Amino acid sequence: MYFKLLFFIAAGFISFHAFTQKVKEPIVMTIDGNSITKEEFLRVYLKNNEHPKYDQASLDEYMELFKNFKLKVAEAEALGYDTLPALVKELKGYDEQLAKPYLIDSSKTNDLVKEAYNRMKYEIRASHILIKVAPNASPADTLKAYNKAIELRNKILKGENFGDVAARFSEDPSAKDNKGDLGFFTVFQMVYPFESAAYSLKQGEISMPIRSSYGYHLIQSTDKRDARGTITAAHIMIAFTKNPERSEIEQAKAKIDEVYQKLKEGEPFEKLARLYSDDQGSKNSGGQLPAFGTGTTQRMIGVFEDAAFALKNDGDYSEPFQTDFGFHIVKRIEYKPLDSFENLQADILQKVKKGDRGKLSEEAFISNLKKANKFKDNSKKNLTWFYNNIDSTIFTKGWNAPTLSKNSWLFQYNKKKYDMQSFLDYLANGTYRNKMPIHSFVDYYYEQWQSQQIMNDEKDKLVEKYPSYKALLQEYHDGVLLYEIMKDKVWDKAIKDTTGLQEFYNKNISKYQWPQRVKAIIYSSDKKSMVEEANKLSAIDTLTMSDIKNQINTDSQLNIAAEEGKYIQNNNSILSSVTLKEGANEIFQSGDKYYFIMVEEIIPAGPKQLNEAKGEIIQDYQKYLEDSWLKELNQKHSVTINKDVLYSIGE
């Protein structure tokens, strides 16, 4: 698992080095006659050691880990894991992902990154009307959708309200409720053609129909503001469940109002968050949340963001407000304007590569390749055969490709001609679920096939051009095989082998022991009188913890909190500092709260049952299985380590 994760991380750090002739590398290790170079070992060693050491002990220690890793990969290859269809498909997918950074126009990409940052300086509010049309629609259907969009645009230009027209005619389902209003947005939140049009409009202006993968859009710019920047905030949340009853909402509202009153009376926000907030992820840090806003991956729902950004000064807090999750009070801790281009560049680059913009870089790259490799297109007359000989049965499973009477070439690239038969074979191997006019179908897939052939030609050269790409391919190959064989031989086996797990537990039961524990109810409050009341009520045998809590909280949900369970005293920050006995214990104060502990039972030390420590036992059993398996692999496979080469590293 570790190696697989490592290789995923490595994909973000590809270096683009031109191919150079290398001298023969010394061999540091062989497994079953297959050589591993000093260069490969050193590359992995440096990747896994932030502060590498080159003394013999350190190199020997890592070589043992490296040898075990390579032994597992060798065993996976010996068992044919690299021929399994699922893994072949997975490796092919990784290969395609790894190749992408080498198959784009870096100049175009850099321009798109700069454009995105310049747009990030502003947030746009816009409304739209959508007329749906598929990307591969026929020219007639495309024109029909375009004309409908023009007709609606003319209605608006003649005086009809954009929102009313959107509600009546837009094919975006949300338009009936929001009249096409999309609120404020910034880069990467809309498809690229839509974003580009919206950022180019003046306020109030209505665009011509804009084509995207969804259809045609009419866009009206309604507002523009400077980027909000980012804000670090804290909040107190009183939650309610999904689709809550009115009584639950009212109870939550009463509780948040009480907390707000305490804030106004001067109690610290952080203390109240720790005491009362239902956000378990932030309450212990005083309610503090990760920074959110423009230029961050962290976004909050609109109501919450608006409330936070409305605060004028660090330290200000809002009145209670409601979201779909409950009631909140938000406090501004620190505000920062939009970060610099240098700090955001890497994050923007990743988004550019993944989104619509990535296609633009690829198209520019292909265009440059055509110019550099003497591309000639001969398709205009020869595609006519496909228009005339392919019919709608191609969209069914039983389609039989027609026979060519004459096989001419369609395009020439890098001194190689790509012919009609090759394109016909490509079509025959496809599956086409979305019907479209044959002329559009042929044109669409011809462009796709042509681009694919050109990219494949370039991709075949990558291993020679870029040694770093070749190394990453090997790492992904090894990582995938390692993960799969570890699943079969260790991880899944430890979970599925219930008999072996039971035997392992029986032999090692002394390792899995409970210390003394207490079964107890913990009552807590910031008011001593409340826990004193809980102490009195706990003497009544018929009252449960829930009864006591509800009775004390009749006039305020903040009066008391209660929880019950089995606790190891030393592992519990509240219980570790007190001496407990069975029954009612002395009231004590810790931090901002008072506590009353009702101990129902003191449970003596003793062995854990298998189900009580199953996670820990499975982990230990996995380690046992792996160690046993490695002993077998060392006997099965031939391994030679060249110590002289190993110790020469770092010299």
Side-chain angles (χ1 to χ4, degrees):
M1 180 74 75
Y2 171 76
F3 276 92
K4 189 170 187 182
L5 294 174
L6 172 67
F7 300 148
F8 273 96
I9 294 169
F13 297 91
I14 297 172
S15 298
F16 295 82
H17 299 299
F19 174 75
T20 55
Q21 186 67 34
K22 297 188 300 180
V23 297
K24 189 174 181 180
E25 272 291 321
I27 305 303
V28 73
M29 180 172 69
T30 60
I31 295 183
D32 298 334
N34 296 315
S35 298
I36 295 161
T37 65
K38 173 183 175 180
E39 179 187 44
E40 179 181 351
F41 175 82
L42 181 60
R43 184 180 62 252
V44 179
Y45 180 61
L46 294 176
K47 192 175 290 183
N48 286 286
N49 291 276
E50 188 176 352
H51 304 290
K53 297 178 180 179
Y54 300 103
D55 59 278
Q56 290 188 11
S58 298
L59 291 169
D60 283 338
E61 180 182 3
Y62 191 76
M63 173 54 80
E64 183 65 20
L65 295 173
F66 185 75
K67 181 195 74 172
N68 290 341
F69 162 57
K70 285 294 187 179
L71 274 172
K72 294 170 186 175
V73 173
E75 179 69 1
E77 290 175 333
L79 295 175
Y81 275 68
D82 51 349
T83 65
L84 295 174
L87 296 193
V88 170
K89 182 179 179 181
E90 184 177 357
L91 285 166
K92 183 179 178 182
Y94 292 149
D95 187 4
E96 291 173 356
Q97 291 299 316
L98 287 173
K100 279 185 177 180
Y102 299 92
L103 302 174
I104 59 173
D105 185 311
S106 57
S107 175
K108 179 67 173 179
T109 300
N110 290 336
D111 289 344
L112 290 168
V113 169
K114 292 174 183 176
E115 176 191 71
Y117 180 76
N118 288 331
R119 289 179 179 176
M120 287 174 70
K121 297 174 183 177
Y122 305 98
E123 295 174 4
I124 302 295
R125 184 170 187 173
S127 297
H128 86 132
I129 296 169
L130 171 66
I131 304 302
K132 292 183 179 179
V133 59
N136 52 13
S138 68
D141 287 341
T142 301
L143 181 60
K144 182 179 177 181
Y146 179 85
N147 287 337
K148 185 176 180 181
I150 288 291
E151 181 184 340
L152 296 179
R153 185 174 187 270
N154 288 336
K155 283 179 180 288
I156 299 164
L157 293 178
K158 290 177 181 178
E160 291 195 40
N161 180 270
F162 189 100
D164 292 339
V165 174
R168 289 160 54 204
F169 298 106
S170 179
E171 294 172 15
D172 178 350
S174 67
K176 290 182 180 179
D177 296 322
N178 63 22
K179 294 190 173 184
D181 183 13
L182 299 170
F184 280 97
F185 56 87
T186 186
V187 290
F188 303 114
Q189 294 179 334
M190 302 293 176
V191 290
Y192 182 65
F194 188 103
E195 174 197 306
S196 292
Y199 269 87
S200 68
L201 292 171
K202 297 177 182 178
Q203 190 167 332
E205 186 179 1
I206 300 169
S207 72
M208 289 293 287
I210 302 299
R211 183 75 182 268
S212 79
S213 56
Y214 298 99
Y216 281 109
H217 306 262
L218 294 176
I219 307 170
Q220 182 182 46
S221 175
T222 57
D223 202 356
K224 182 178 182 179
R225 68 187 182 199
D226 291 341
R228 280 177 162 179
T230 60
I231 190 170
T232 302
H235 80 138
I236 299 168
M237 179 176 77
I238 306 301
F240 46 64
T241 58
K242 189 176 182 180
N243 301 318
E245 299 288 340
R246 174 181 286 185
S247 59
E248 184 183 359
I249 296 175
E250 291 174 347
Q251 191 176 53
K253 180 66 166 62
K255 189 171 182 179
I256 198 74
D257 286 343
E258 288 187 66
V259 173
Y260 184 64
Q261 184 60 38
K262 288 179 177 292
L263 270 175
K264 292 199 295 183
E265 291 170 358
E267 293 202 39
F269 189 99
E270 293 73 17
K271 173 185 174 181
L272 294 173
R274 289 192 298 270
L275 287 172
Y276 304 119
S277 180
D278 291 326
D279 181 358
Q280 299 302 318
S282 69
K283 65 180 297 181
N284 292 332
S285 59
Q288 185 165 328
L289 300 164
F292 56 89
T294 309
T296 70
T297 55
Q298 187 77 28
R299 296 301 299 256
M300 302 294 179
I301 56 176
V303 176
F304 192 96
E305 281 202 356
D306 289 345
F309 280 104
L311 300 171
K312 301 300 183 185
N313 303 295
D314 293 350
D316 289 354
Y317 57 83
S318 71
E319 294 183 354
F321 61 93
Q322 184 177 348
T323 71
D324 291 339
F325 304 99
F327 289 94
H328 310 257
I329 303 169
V330 62
K331 176 185 176 181
R332 173 171 146 171
I333 296 175
E334 183 182 20
Y335 169 78
K336 290 182 179 180
L338 178 67
D339 210 341
S340 68
F341 176 74
E342 290 72 23
N343 290 340
L344 293 177
Q345 185 176 6
D347 181 58
I348 296 173
L349 176 61
Q350 292 304 312
K351 292 177 180 177
V352 163
K353 288 179 179 179
K354 292 178 182 178
D356 299 341
R357 293 164 170 86
K359 295 178 182 177
L360 298 177
S361 292
E362 183 178 302
E363 289 170 1
F365 183 71
I366 291 173
S367 178
N368 290 336
L369 287 176
K370 287 180 176 180
K371 293 175 184 176
N373 290 279
K374 299 179 180 179
F375 172 83
K376 293 181 181 179
D377 195 354
N378 191 42
S379 65
K380 190 172 183 180
K381 60 180 181 179
N382 291 322
L383 284 182
T384 302
W385 182 90
F386 292 89
Y387 303 147
N388 296 331
N389 288 275
I390 293 177
D391 57 32
S392 60
T393 59
I394 196 170
F395 302 108
T396 65
K397 290 183 179 179
W399 183 69
N400 293 314
T403 302
L404 278 167
S405 56
K406 180 182 178 182
N407 185 23
S408 300
W409 61 279
L410 293 170
F411 73 93
Q412 180 175 306
Y413 174 81
N414 197 19
K415 300 180 180 180
K416 179 180 177 181
K417 291 182 177 180
Y418 296 81
D419 57 30
M420 294 170 66
Q421 186 62 54
S422 298
F423 179 46
L424 185 60
D425 293 341
Y426 172 79
L427 293 178
N429 289 323
T431 301
Y432 313 103
R433 296 179 181 176
N434 298 320
K435 289 186 177 182
M436 54 194 296
I438 296 302
H439 197 289
S440 299
F441 170 84
V442 171
D443 287 347
Y444 176 82
Y445 283 100
Y446 172 68
E447 291 297 325
Q448 188 179 89
W449 172 71
Q450 182 193 99
S451 296
Q452 188 180 103
Q453 302 312 305
I454 292 171
M455 292 294 265
N456 286 343
D457 180 87
E458 184 66 15
K459 187 178 176 184
D460 289 342
K461 303 172 185 175
L462 294 183
V463 169
E464 291 184 356
K465 278 187 173 183
Y466 306 107
S468 57
Y469 169 74
K470 180 181 178 181
L472 276 173
L473 279 182
Q474 184 64 47
E475 288 179 356
Y476 270 77
H477 168 275
D478 291 355
V480 168
L481 297 191
L482 173 72
Y483 179 78
E484 290 299 325
I485 200 166
M486 284 290 288
K487 272 187 67 185
D488 292 345
K489 299 293 185 181
V490 178
W491 300 328
D492 288 355
K493 184 177 180 180
I495 296 170
K496 295 175 182 177
D497 182 14
T498 54
T499 301
L501 185 67
Q502 184 68 52
E503 291 177 356
F504 180 81
Y505 164 72
N506 293 338
K507 290 178 182 178
N508 297 276
I509 194 169
S510 61
K511 184 179 176 182
Y512 309 108
Q513 298 287 314
W514 284 117
Q516 179 177 286
R517 293 172 292 160
V518 294
K519 182 180 180 183
I521 301 173
I522 304 174
Y523 295 95
S524 61
S525 176
D526 60 336
K527 300 183 183 70
K528 187 176 182 181
S529 60
M530 297 298 136
V531 292
E532 289 174 339
E533 181 67 16
N535 188 359
K536 292 177 183 177
L537 292 173
S538 66
I540 304 174
D541 293 337
T542 57
L543 293 180
T544 65
M545 180 191 77
S546 181
D547 294 333
I548 294 171
K549 180 182 173 183
N550 289 338
Q551 187 167 328
I552 295 175
N553 284 343
T554 300
D555 63 334
S556 171
Q557 294 297 311
L558 305 182
N559 283 344
I560 201 164
E563 63 174 76
E564 61 182 337
K566 295 177 182 177
Y567 304 95
I568 301 171
Q569 271 194 261
N570 290 338
N571 292 351
N572 186 287
S573 59
I574 302 303
L575 304 181
S576 60
S577 60
V578 294
T579 302
L580 297 175
K581 62 180 182 179
E582 287 193 1
N585 285 266
E586 294 290 329
I587 293 170
F588 64 95
Q589 184 177 8
S590 178
D592 301 321
K593 290 187 177 183
Y594 294 91
Y595 294 87
F596 163 62
I597 313 298
M598 170 60 74
V599 176
E600 297 179 353
E601 181 185 1
I602 295 179
I603 306 170
K608 296 178 181 179
Q609 297 299 314
L610 177 58
N611 65 331
E612 292 180 316
K614 195 168 185 178
E616 181 184 3
I617 297 167
I618 287 175
Q619 187 175 5
D620 290 345
Y621 187 43
Q622 287 174 340
K623 179 67 168 59
Y624 166 77
L625 289 174
E626 184 176 3
D627 290 344
S628 302
W629 181 44
L630 279 170
K631 289 178 182 177
E632 295 176 11
L633 295 184
N634 274 283
Q635 294 175 353
K636 179 178 179 179
H637 296 274
S638 172
V639 180
T640 302
I641 297 172
N642 189 332
K643 294 281 188 176
D644 290 338
V645 174
L646 177 64
Y647 297 151
S648 71
I649 293 174
E651 290 181 356

